[in-house]
Amino acid sequence: MANLIPDSVPNDAPDSEKRIFNYLKSDPGTEGWTVFHSLGLSQRGVKKPYGEIDFVIVVPMQGVICLEIKGGGVSCKNGQWLTTDRNQITHKLKKSPFIQAREGMLALRDAVNENVDRNINQCFFCTAVVFPDVESPPVTPEFERDEVIDVSELGKQISAIIESKIKSQRKRLGWIKNPSLTEPSDIKALTKYLRPDFELKALRTARIRRDKEDLVTLTREQVQFLEGCIDNPRCLVKGAAGTGKTLMAIEALKMKSQEGLKTGFFCYNKVLGGWLQREISSLELKDIYVGGIYENLVELIRNSSFYSEYNSERQKTADGKPEIVFRKLIPHYAMEAIMETGEELDYLILDEGQDLIRPEILDVFDIWLRGGLQKGNWIILGDFHNQAIYSEGLKGSALIVTLENYTSHYSNFKLSLNCRNTKNIAEATALFSGFENIPYRINQIEGEPVNRSFWNRKDDLEAKLLDQIRKLLGEGIMPSEISILSPRKFSDSSASKISEFAINDISNSSDVIPKDNEIIFSTIHSFKGLESPIVIITDIESISGNYNSSLLYIAMSRASAYLSMLMNENVREELKAVMSKAIEGYD
């Protein structure tokens, strides 16, 4: 039996082609042959259309014959060739089937001669038109009888018919003394060119970008939240990392600004604040304050008569005591500026609210917001259990108690579906962070596996980090799609040892948009509230304790599509213990 490629004929193939396919498949005389069914031809010049050869048959020692199959009735009137199908519908052919077959054969021969790296350009190529339902048309100067296989011949073995056609054409064209395809390697090379076997796995680049696109959607849960905000003047929205809090906050800002309300949208983190300002600037909203809370409060002070006094006090206390500036001076002078100007907000939105529920900041909001926190209109969004790293140890209910010292009447909402991270990242984040209960519902976008790599020495860590970057960039990832996060500042991090690629440290910057050729670096603290398609967490030396597990949770949950973790060997045992405890809790 011949080697048929493909080994079956499609269901939608014409019945005439199915019959020829089965003749070739069942004839023992085709042993050692290679048969290609429906071989496509690419465009050959401006005037040559794309084409197809019904069968290309490779016969060892003899050559290649191309078959054009014309089933049903056949006729030619006034030089116009026509076929009639089983439903008695007549179809006009653009050209003679013999010209069609010959053009396809010549195009194939030229392509083989140009592209196959073996000495088979002396291979004999010929053609035949098969009429499986009718006898041969009258022979004319357009074709020879050995270029036809008709219904009367198909009663014989098809292998004998084809061999006789090749032999006759070889003799007629003077090729009788020049054997073709004498070596198995010749046939192998020809087969590899005409229809090679291959497997192309989806590039990680494509998978990562596809996953990222799939994750950027508004969930039904989030839409319900927006609808709820319309009817409730004060809303506390709780949700773990990745549940879409920032996205919802931006949507709420758009809604309230379009209602004509003067709205403040604040976060604690300077880097996140800079990102929010850039994201929202394109929306062309009016009467809004957006960004990091301290940057906005300082701007209020700058526009008041208290700026000189504030500046003088700040210079006195800044040396070695920056916490006094942030905990006392800025809030105090901001309240003075608000009372002096009579400035009021109609609506207040706090993102990463767990970092802003501090008495000195709530005092400011209480006089800045019309009606205060008790009666005013606001939305506070936060992860009050898992990301409260700036709240001096207060978490969960303790933070809520602090808020309720200012307001007692508000509506509670909870976002539970993780719509930022792929399934693999979300599950690993919950496990590695040691949570007794997974803090969100996990979506079904599988994504790339989380990469874990362990190191002993600092030079080993640096080599592994460099290798990770090289692999990602080598697979087509843009440098700007990669963020390196560390619990250490840049100068103390392994990332500072990388000189092969441009790395932009944004830890103390409000400019978080890298150039295309720059990789982002940030401390985990500064990257809080942000996200990146690809995150490499480096310098991990311990995950034990509440603070370290919170940092790990924040860092891992920043990755939307691909996550890599570079951990000290000492972390292996800690990781086993943390994961074991978490898994027991899930059970």
Side-chain angles (χ1 to χ4, degrees):
M1 186 182 81
N3 175 27
L4 293 117
I5 305 175
D7 59 7
S8 62
V9 65
N11 290 331
D12 59 353
D15 287 342
S16 54
E17 291 182 24
K18 290 179 180 178
R19 277 183 279 159
I20 300 303
F21 186 93
N22 289 329
Y23 290 153
L24 291 163
K25 184 175 182 178
S26 60
D27 186 346
T30 62
E31 184 70 31
W33 294 13
T34 303
V35 177
F36 301 92
H37 174 240
S38 189
L39 186 71
L41 296 172
S42 61
Q43 188 172 9
R44 309 172 308 282
V46 176
K47 295 183 179 180
K48 299 290 185 180
Y50 297 100
E52 182 182 66
I53 302 175
D54 293 333
F55 288 92
V56 175
I57 303 173
V58 180
V59 183
M61 302 296 292
Q62 297 186 51
V64 176
I65 186 168
C66 300
L67 303 184
E68 176 68 25
I69 314 299
K70 292 301 178 188
V74 179
S75 61
C76 184
K77 296 179 181 178
N78 297 321
Q80 173 69 62
W81 283 80
L82 305 101
T83 60
T84 304
D85 62 25
R86 63 170 64 184
N87 297 315
Q88 300 305 306
I89 298 175
T90 299
H91 306 274
K92 292 183 179 180
L93 302 182
K94 292 182 179 179
K95 61 184 67 176
S96 157
F98 296 98
I99 294 175
Q100 183 180 352
R102 205 170 291 137
E103 286 184 349
M105 178 271 291
L106 292 174
L108 179 64
R109 185 194 66 184
D110 292 345
V112 169
N113 289 343
E114 291 174 10
N115 294 286
V116 179
D117 296 330
R118 292 197 61 83
N119 187 27
I120 63 170
N121 59 346
Q122 298 301 314
C123 175
F124 179 70
F125 282 80
C126 63
T127 186
V129 178
V130 181
F131 299 101
D133 300 309
V134 299
E135 294 184 347
S136 172
V139 176
T140 70
E142 185 178 9
F143 66 96
E144 301 287 345
R145 184 63 180 82
D146 58 18
E147 293 179 277
V148 177
I149 300 174
D150 68 6
V151 65
S152 65
E153 295 174 282
L154 286 175
K156 306 172 185 177
Q157 278 192 320
I158 196 168
S159 58
I161 300 169
I162 289 173
E163 285 179 333
S164 69
K165 301 298 178 181
I166 297 175
K167 183 178 180 180
S168 176
Q169 292 186 51
R170 285 177 65 91
K171 182 177 181 179
R172 177 163 54 83
L173 298 172
W175 281 72
I176 196 67
K177 294 182 179 180
N178 299 310
S180 297
L181 304 171
T182 58
E183 300 293 334
S185 56
D186 294 338
I187 296 174
K188 184 176 180 180
L190 184 58
T191 300
K192 184 177 180 180
Y193 172 64
L194 294 181
R195 193 164 279 169
D197 292 332
F198 63 89
E199 179 183 8
L200 296 177
K201 294 185 178 180
L203 289 174
R204 179 157 55 180
T205 312
R207 295 196 301 271
I208 287 173
R209 289 174 181 158
R210 178 198 63 214
D211 291 340
K212 180 184 175 185
E213 291 169 2
D214 289 344
L215 288 163
V216 182
T217 57
L218 285 175
T219 67
R220 183 178 301 173
E221 178 181 83
Q222 293 163 331
V223 172
Q224 290 173 344
F225 157 69
L226 283 177
E227 293 171 350
C229 288
I230 295 172
D231 299 324
N232 293 275
R234 290 170 295 282
C235 302
L236 183 65
V237 182
K238 303 171 184 176
T243 52
K245 298 185 299 297
T246 300
L247 178 62
M248 291 299 94
I250 293 174
E251 291 298 313
L253 174 67
K254 289 162 61 176
M255 289 167 51
K256 297 306 176 182
S257 176
Q258 289 165 2
E259 289 174 15
L261 301 180
K262 182 177 288 187
T263 305
F265 180 3
F266 306 112
C267 63
Y268 183 88
N269 191 335
K270 179 181 180 180
V271 181
L272 175 59
W275 180 84
L276 287 172
Q277 286 178 333
R278 270 180 299 281
E279 286 292 302
I280 292 167
S281 63
S282 62
L283 301 178
E284 299 182 353
L285 303 178
K286 297 180 180 180
D287 289 330
I288 61 172
Y289 291 86
V290 176
I293 182 59
Y294 289 109
E295 287 72 30
N296 276 274
L297 295 184
V298 169
E299 187 63 24
L300 284 177
I301 299 168
R302 183 178 285 110
N303 294 327
S304 74
S305 63
F306 295 95
Y307 185 62
S308 296
E309 183 179 334
Y310 157 75
N311 224 16
S312 175
E313 291 298 320
R314 181 182 61 81
Q315 291 174 2
K316 292 178 185 178
T317 58
D319 293 340
K321 297 180 180 179
E323 69 278 1
I324 295 179
V325 174
F326 290 99
R327 298 296 298 272
K328 293 185 178 180
L329 291 183
I330 293 178
H332 170 73
Y333 284 103
M335 287 190 286
E336 294 284 2
I338 291 167
M339 288 185 287
E340 177 185 78
T341 61
E343 176 79 30
E344 279 190 321
L345 294 175
D346 298 314
Y347 208 89
L348 177 65
I349 302 172
L350 303 184
D351 192 22
E352 299 291 317
Q354 71 278 1
D355 301 325
L356 293 170
I357 296 181
R358 308 169 67 152
E360 70 275 10
I361 296 178
L362 294 178
D363 285 342
V364 175
F365 291 142
D366 205 31
I367 66 167
W368 196 2
L369 178 64
R370 187 187 305 275
L373 293 171
Q374 175 70 19
K375 296 181 179 179
N377 297 304
W378 51 259
I379 303 172
I380 300 176
L381 308 96
D383 183 357
F384 298 93
H385 287 275
N386 307 313
Q387 296 190 71
I389 60 173
Y390 294 118
S391 57
E392 299 183 345
L394 295 179
K395 288 187 178 183
S397 58
L399 285 171
I400 304 305
V401 168
T402 301
L403 175 63
E404 289 180 347
N405 288 333
Y406 294 81
T407 179
S408 55
H409 300 288
Y410 58 86
S411 300
N412 272 292
F413 291 84
K414 184 175 182 181
L415 293 172
S416 57
L417 177 64
N418 186 310
C419 57
R420 175 198 295 156
N421 312 119
T422 62
K423 183 178 180 181
N424 281 328
I425 293 174
E427 288 179 339
T429 300
L431 282 172
F432 290 15
S433 302
F435 296 134
E436 294 183 0
N437 296 291
I438 296 179
Y440 38 60
R441 288 185 291 117
I442 296 174
N443 69 69
Q444 296 305 306
I445 300 173
E446 193 78 17
E448 290 285 295
V450 174
N451 178 68
R452 288 185 288 164
S453 185
F454 294 88
W455 50 273
N456 277 311
R457 306 179 313 278
K458 290 296 178 66
D459 58 343
D460 183 32
L461 168 60
E462 293 155 13
K464 287 181 182 294
L465 176 58
L466 180 59
D467 182 61
Q468 279 282 299
I469 296 172
R470 284 174 175 167
K471 284 181 178 177
L472 289 167
L473 297 181
E475 293 178 4
I477 297 295
M478 294 288 291
S480 57
E481 294 178 297
I482 303 173
S483 297
I484 302 172
L485 304 185
S486 171
R488 299 177 177 276
K489 62 183 181 180
F490 181 72
S491 59
D492 296 335
S493 168
S494 55
S496 67
K497 308 300 180 182
I498 303 296
S499 58
E500 186 174 326
F501 307 105
I503 299 177
N504 179 15
D505 178 13
I506 65 163
S507 301
N508 295 304
S509 171
S510 58
D511 184 7
V512 296
I513 301 180
K515 297 176 182 177
D516 286 344
N517 65 339
E518 287 183 342
I519 296 168
I520 279 181
F521 172 88
S522 176
T523 62
I524 297 171
H525 297 74
S526 294
F527 210 69
K528 190 169 178 288
L530 295 170
E531 65 180 71
S532 175
I534 299 167
V535 168
I536 303 174
I537 310 174
T538 187
D539 307 311
I540 304 174
E541 299 198 31
S542 177
I543 61 172
S544 295
N546 290 336
Y547 186 74
N548 285 331
S549 63
S550 291
L551 276 186
L552 187 65
Y553 169 75
I554 291 167
M556 294 178 70
S557 60
R558 301 307 101 192
S560 60
Y562 179 74
L563 174 64
S564 179
M565 306 172 68
L566 304 178
M567 299 178 281
N568 190 290
E569 280 287 349
N570 297 330
V571 176
R572 282 188 190 271
E573 292 305 315
E574 294 180 16
L575 190 56
K576 288 179 182 177
V578 166
M579 292 179 67
S580 176
K581 180 181 177 182
I583 292 170
E584 288 176 5
Y586 301 155
D587 291 341

